[in-house]
Amino acid sequence: MANIATAFANTLMGMGTVFVMLIFISLLISLFGYIPKLEEKIKNIGKKPEPVKTEEPAAVVEEPQTQVVNLQKDEQLVAVITATIMASYGSNAVSADKLVVRSIHRVDGRRA
């Protein structure tokens, strides 16, 4: 029975030590956000603060209006170009996403 009590005490002591060290490391990491501010304060000790320069607001520039483009046609164009390039490489062509083009043929007679 004494061995079990000793083992239990050792287990609790080890787990407690690990838990305390994890909390300590967590607090230490949370203080890393304050280090640059502290370094800046130490660097600026003895220096006079520079006067704040006020700038006039810049003139408002109107952005040109863009036209809305039908993206469906662009996606189809990209698919056709990709298929053509893959077909030109022959049967050995495999793209990064494992796309293999076996043949190119028109599905129906209408154009997009």
Side-chain angles (χ1 to χ4, degrees), residues 1-103:
M1 193 67 167
N3 288 338
I4 293 175
T6 304
F8 186 69
N10 286 339
T11 302
L12 286 179
M13 186 66 86
M15 290 175 69
T17 302
V18 169
F19 189 69
V20 168
M21 290 308 295
L22 285 174
I23 291 174
F24 174 73
I25 292 171
S26 174
L27 291 174
L28 185 67
I29 290 173
S30 68
L31 293 176
F32 283 172
Y34 298 108
I35 291 175
K37 295 175 187 173
L38 184 64
E39 286 179 352
E40 190 68 31
K41 284 183 182 179
I42 291 172
K43 196 182 294 184
N44 290 334
I45 291 178
K47 292 184 180 178
K48 294 180 181 177
E50 296 179 11
V52 178
K53 297 178 182 178
T54 57
E55 295 181 14
E56 295 179 16
V60 178
V61 178
E62 293 184 23
E63 295 182 17
Q65 294 181 356
T66 58
Q67 296 178 352
V68 178
V69 179
N70 187 358
L71 296 179
Q72 181 67 23
K73 291 181 182 178
D74 289 343
E75 290 174 359
Q76 290 175 353
L77 180 62
V78 169
V80 169
I81 292 173
T82 303
T84 306
I85 292 171
M86 297 304 292
S88 69
Y89 284 126
S91 62
N92 297 346
V94 177
S95 67
D97 59 349
K98 307 297 184 208
L99 171 69
V100 178
V101 177
R102 305 270 186 233
S103 66

